[in-house]
Amino acid sequence: MLVLIKNIKELLQIRSQEVIFLKGAEMKELPSIKNAFLLIDNEIIKDYGFMENCPKFDVDTIIDATHKTVLPTWCDAHTHIVFAGNRVQEFVDKINGLSYEEIAKRGGGILNSAQKLNETSEKQLYLESSQRLEEIMKLGTGAVEIKSGYGLCVEGELKMLRVIKKLKENYPIAIKATFLGAHALPVEYKNNKDGYINLIINEMLPKVAAENLADFIDVFCETGYFTVEDTIKIMEAGARYNLIPKIHVNQLTSIGGIEANVKHKALSVDHLEEMTDNDIKALKNTSTMPIALPTCSFYLGIPYTPARKMINAGLPLALASDYNPGSTPSGNMNFVISTACIKMKMTPEEAINAATVNGAYAMGLEKTHGSITIGKKANVIITKEIPNYAHLPYAFGSNNIDTVIINGKVIKY
Ligand code: NIG
Ligand code: FE
């Protein structure tokens, strides 16, 4: 099955297979060609180039992209889209003056979601989660990482990871699964953190590994949650099952987690709203990708990740949504790009690079996703007729997407 997209006004993010991730000044460059074609062979990008070299042979489908821009689908490397119900009451509580930490102290927050999740059947959880997955695919996301972390008990964590596995089997979008047993202390272990960490290490991890349910391991490394020492212990246990760390860190406080994560070869460190100069230094010339989640800052009213400072210091940066019921009830990567530009002063080129090439790297998908590269997955967004690509972050309230293609198939949910 051959699909030809022709008369593309501008084809963005054309790269050779060698590009792994982009850092510092490299993030300012967004290679493109104007008046282009793109040829898709089943699931794969077969060819692209200037219209004057457009193939003349017969194809199965022709899509005319006159006045439209084409770019790779978003790679969202940090989400929690498997959850039960919602936390809209906490949203109202926040408007009335309570902070995220105060809500958590009252038994709300992650523990509220854990209670809901453990009362919900696997079938219902799958149903709710699949609706969110379809929603983000329509919004242009073509690869996504999904975490557990609302079970906080053996059965609950396994239930979440099994739902993620089923989503993987039933949808064309690339999905990576992360085991986040260490998201919060469940009520039963309120005064027994070591007991809960032992449960994670001795009971949850072996079962997760036996069913092959996770690619990565995550910990909420934060004051009041898990210390740097706890995080190291859990990362080391995960490593025995080949689970690579992707860690929640520096969201509310800087406690030295980044340095430890880098030492343990974390693929990414995520949130980073609170960054010291030492934290930035620890990330320099490493293989650990920093991930900013600007719509979380937007929603909670906490500081934004100092993206400018980090990129100017030569670091790479990825952008992700953090879609979850408590701190970011949105998986719209288009809005993530806008907030990155508007609030973190990233240029449109930097934001698009952060949400495609660098997002793919932060999920271990750099060989197959994140750019228009011959041989990579045919995952593209065709925009509506927009003046240029800067219009994407600029017109933040508009739906600028005309068509989404994932694994060569037009998404029609
Ligand atoms: O990434 N910070 C920790 N975890 C999530 C929020 C979880 C929740 O509030 O349900 C986050 O923001
Ligand atoms: Fe998160």
Side-chain angles (χ1 to χ4, degrees), residues 78 80 87 100 109-110 113 150 180 183 220 248 251 271 293 296 300 322 324-328:
H78 180 135
H80 311 244
R87 305 227 297 268
Y100 186 65
I110 296 168
S113 285
Y150 291 124
L180 174 55
H183 198 189
F220 189 14
H248 279 78
Q251 178 179 6
H271 270 287
L293 311 164
C296 174
L300 290 183
D322 199 18
N324 76 75
S327 74
T328 325

Side-chain angles (χ1 to χ4, degrees), residues 81-360:
I81 65 169
V82 173
F83 60 85
N86 62 70
R87 305 227 297 268
V88 71
Q89 183 54 48
E90 293 178 11
F91 169 66
V92 177
D93 292 343
K94 248 187 289 220
I95 294 169
N96 287 323
L98 288 186
S99 72
Y100 186 65
E101 291 97 318
E102 283 162 343
I103 289 168
K105 275 204 193 102
R106 293 176 160 203
I110 296 168
L111 294 186
N112 180 358
S113 285
Q115 188 181 347
K116 286 192 168 75
L117 186 128
N118 286 311
E119 290 165 0
T120 302
S121 70
E122 190 171 319
K123 198 168 158 210
Q124 174 65 19
L125 190 62
Y126 176 81
L127 198 77
E128 292 183 27
S129 308
S130 61
Q131 283 165 2
R132 289 179 205 115
L133 192 67
E134 291 179 14
E135 177 203 3
I136 63 168
M137 289 164 76
K138 277 188 290 197
L139 289 166
T141 298
V144 65
E145 180 260 16
I146 311 174
K147 299 169 195 300
S148 69
Y150 291 124
L152 307 181
C153 62
V154 178
E155 269 320 302
E157 287 297 304
L158 290 175
K159 179 163 73 179
M160 290 188 76
L161 291 166
R162 287 181 190 133
V163 165
I164 299 173
K165 189 175 179 184
K166 218 175 275 168
L167 293 171
K168 237 187 235 194
E169 287 161 2
N170 294 345
Y171 285 92
I173 183 171
I175 297 176
K176 291 281 187 174
T178 301
F179 169 54
L180 174 55
H183 198 189
L185 272 190
V187 192
E188 315 80 88
Y189 287 88
K190 209 168 102 194
N191 299 314
N192 181 12
K193 190 166 71 172
D194 286 342
Y196 185 58
I197 293 175
N198 285 338
L199 185 79
I200 290 174
I201 293 176
N202 300 324
E203 293 205 39
M204 293 184 188
L205 260 175
K207 293 203 167 87
V208 169
E211 285 187 48
N212 201 10
L213 291 173
D215 306 287
F216 305 116
I217 187 156
D218 192 351
V219 177
F220 189 14
C221 177
E222 184 59 66
T223 307
Y225 289 83
F226 294 90
T227 64
V228 177
E229 289 67 36
D230 300 335
T231 307
I232 291 173
K233 207 169 157 193
I234 295 164
M235 284 193 290
E236 286 177 350
R240 292 197 279 278
Y241 298 98
N242 297 321
L243 298 182
I244 300 163
K246 271 171 77 69
I247 305 291
H248 279 78
V249 69
N250 289 48
Q251 178 179 6
L252 308 168
T253 52
S254 171
I255 55 174
I258 291 181
E259 218 175 321
N261 300 153
V262 167
K263 254 193 214 134
H264 284 79
K265 300 257 177 299
L267 180 59
S268 71
V269 284
D270 308 25
H271 270 287
L272 315 181
E273 289 87 342
E274 297 294 336
M275 288 292 277
T276 65
D277 289 346
N278 256 348
D279 291 326
I280 292 180
K281 214 167 108 202
L283 283 164
K284 276 210 92 166
N285 302 318
T286 72
S287 57
T288 300
M289 176 65 66
I291 301 186
L293 311 164
T295 50
C296 174
S297 300
F298 171 80
Y299 181 80
L300 290 183
I302 60 176
Y304 286 83
T305 300
R308 260 301 24 105
K309 199 171 168 190
M310 292 164 68
I311 296 173
N312 291 350
L315 294 188
L317 189 66
L319 289 167
S321 74
D322 199 18
Y323 194 177
N324 76 75
S327 74
T328 325
S330 161
N332 188 345
M333 283 295 284
N334 306 285
F335 187 54
V336 171
I337 305 297
S338 290
T339 39
C341 293
I342 297 165
K343 294 293 188 183
M344 305 199 304
K345 303 285 178 234
M346 289 173 74
T347 65
E349 293 79 11
E350 288 171 333
I352 291 171
N353 280 326
T356 53
V357 170
N358 286 357

